[in-house]
Amino acid sequence: MKILSVNDRIKKLREVMKDKNVDVYYTTTSDFHSSEYIQDYFKEVYYITGFSGSNGSVIITDEKAYLYTDGRYFIQAESELSTSKVILMKMGEKDVLKEEELIAKVFAEKKYKTLGFDGRMISSSLGKTFRDSIGDGEILCDINLLDYVWEDRSELRFEKVYDLQITYSGESVLSKIERVRDYMKKKNVNGYVLSSLCDIAWLLNLRGNDIECNPVFLSFVYLTNDKIYIYSNENANVKEALNKNVEGTEIYNQIIHKKYEDFYEDIKKLLVIDSSIGNYKLLVDLSMSSYRLLKILEELKIDYVDEFNITTAFKAVKNEVELENLRKAHIYDGVAVTKFIYWLKHNIGKIEITEKSAADKLYEFRKECKSLIGLSFDTISAYGGNAAMMHYEAGKDCAILKPKGMLLVDSGGHYFEGTTDITRNIVLGELSDKEKMYYTLTLKGMLNLSDAKFLYGCTGLNLDILARGSLWKLGMDYKCGTGHGVGYLLSVHEAPNGFRWRKVPERNDGCVLEEGMVTTIEPGVYIENEFGIRIENELVCKKAEENEYGQFMEFETITFCPVDLDAVDTKYLDASDIEMLNNYNKIVYEKISPYLNEEEKEWLGKETRMLS
């Protein structure tokens, strides 16, 4: 079979568009559940444009093709689109039209009539936005035009699930169902549709492996006051795994298992029956539910309440069992990354090490922990200028490391005790003054935000300046948020908590910071073709003192691994910065050294030395 170029694939898609009377076609890096990370089956953006990032969308007209992506991927996208005619649209940049604005513009200018997309892969909220943008235009959403072009498209993958025991989850399925139903009563709703895979996995205390690096399983849930409908693949073993968690409880006989592929047809029938009782109202998150579901609700005239999934808010607040487990997971992970850094620094220039072989070696260290399930995302191992691409992925022809500059390694693991995410820049040899300055200012931002004390009610928007401030003074910034929530043995990127300087509605990460939320902090500097710097720890939000001014909050750092002091220029740090750094290094040594051999322990002592 001939391998078509990106331009040829787009040409072939346009032929299908013409045949199906579609003037504009839209697709995005998503699946039937609005997931950030997806199976190969859903990688339509990569197929049609060659862009491999985790956030991208494509608008195809009869004349032009546009790729939208965010600041994490600008450099990468420019490189991957360089041999095609696809136009890069840098989201959030000045004078760049939003997707719906571009669609409205071309519809008006070209007198287009039909917008096409797969209604299962587009969220209800986005579909509504597009519908509003085209006015009297028609939407064709019951067909996927890539099916006519993508000849070797893979099949959907369904793997067996497993139960997450209460010694790890800290809360029973019964308790979680009761909490959700209590909320449904407060909202005066009769049913609740869940499409988000992480929310379903959390609710049912089940984990899977249907998406690489994400322990979830393809499924839907429809919850009523007395029934729990679960739509999953028959081979996934969901019924048997779930029975371990609910057998003997009052909800055992409420669970009804259905086929995954029958969801839309079946939910329509159920909604007809349930709404016939009168005064029926459904709870749904339109940002995480498909446009096809919305069309069903509109067709049946179902009254619904649209709001962010309450399960997302519930699972973001880790219970004491989860937090204690997470502290253990971060010791496991910190030991692995520390051993890796020791190995790398003692072998650079002696044996050939590439970006990819370095990432593989780190995985070997992680696998020494029996509790490891797998990586929480594909390791970012980026040397020199490659590190300026925030989500760079090393391939077979990647860079060979040399005893100069730095290697950026952003990595994490899934353990039964939780999920980790850590980034370190590792000094391999001589650095420029410029690299040291930006490394030190990045470290300063990380330390300052980690040490924040604030009144309850603050969001990440209030605190982000603590990480960026030193860089902003130099007119420098990074085109992404400062941090994101982390799931418990779920997605490494979790709503609704995060750090960023401005509100980005589609990210849903601007909530009030609650006790028990886990958030990364990862400021950085990225200079194209030169270097990239990022230092990342995870923080747990916790209560501090309460007084006449209110409830104060603070953070507990749970990531323990040395930051490279060889890149620190203390002239950019004040006394309080140095004190925070010394205190962190002292804790790193105390927590990690017991798991090292004598040579590693001696080395770690030097790596965590006190600065003055």
Side-chain angles (χ1 to χ4, degrees), residues 436-543:
K436 287 185 176 182
M437 176 185 71
Y438 281 128
Y439 181 92
T440 306
L441 293 177
T442 299
L443 175 60
K444 181 182 179 76
M446 191 272 284
L447 293 169
N448 286 339
L449 182 48
S450 301
D451 193 53
K453 180 175 282 190
F454 52 97
L455 279 168
Y456 176 78
C458 283
T459 71
L461 293 169
N462 302 118
L463 304 179
D464 187 88
I465 183 63
L466 296 175
R468 292 183 199 261
S470 297
L471 294 173
W472 278 7
K473 288 180 180 179
L474 297 180
M476 177 60 72
D477 192 26
Y478 42 97
K479 293 180 178 293
C480 62
T482 295
H484 54 83
V486 181
Y488 184 96
L489 192 46
L490 287 170
S491 177
V492 73
H493 292 163
E494 179 177 84
N497 47 307
F499 298 114
R500 66 177 64 247
W501 70 270
R502 63 179 175 182
K503 189 174 183 179
V504 181
E506 61 268 23
R507 301 298 294 182
N508 183 24
D509 60 0
C511 75
V512 170
L513 295 169
E514 301 282 355
E515 182 179 34
M517 285 183 169
V518 178
T519 315
T520 68
I521 168 174
E522 44 187 308
V525 172
Y526 308 91
I527 299 180
E528 188 172 0
N529 298 322
E530 291 190 42
F531 58 81
I533 295 167
R534 182 162 65 249
I535 306 172
E536 177 185 19
N537 282 349
E538 288 186 37
L539 311 173
V540 175
C541 186
K542 57 191 296 186
K543 289 180 178 179

Side-chain angles (χ1 to χ4, degrees), residues 423-441:
T423 307
R424 291 293 185 267
N425 277 78
I426 305 162
V427 176
L428 304 181
E430 183 180 358
L431 298 180
S432 67
D433 291 341
K434 182 180 181 181
E435 287 173 304
K436 287 185 176 182
M437 176 185 71
Y438 281 128
Y439 181 92
T440 306
L441 293 177

Side-chain angles (χ1 to χ4, degrees), residues 1 52 75 101 181 224 232-233 250 297 313 315 327-328 355 373 375 414 441 521 527 565 574 579:
M1 181 175 59
S52 61
I75 298 173
E101 292 172 341
R181 282 177 169 162
T224 70
S232 63
N233 185 268
E250 60 193 68
L297 301 183
K315 70 182 172 65
R327 293 182 183 103
K328 295 176 184 176
E355 293 167 320
I373 296 171
L375 298 180
H414 286 305
L441 293 177
I521 168 174
I527 299 180
L565 299 182
D574 57 33
E579 182 181 6

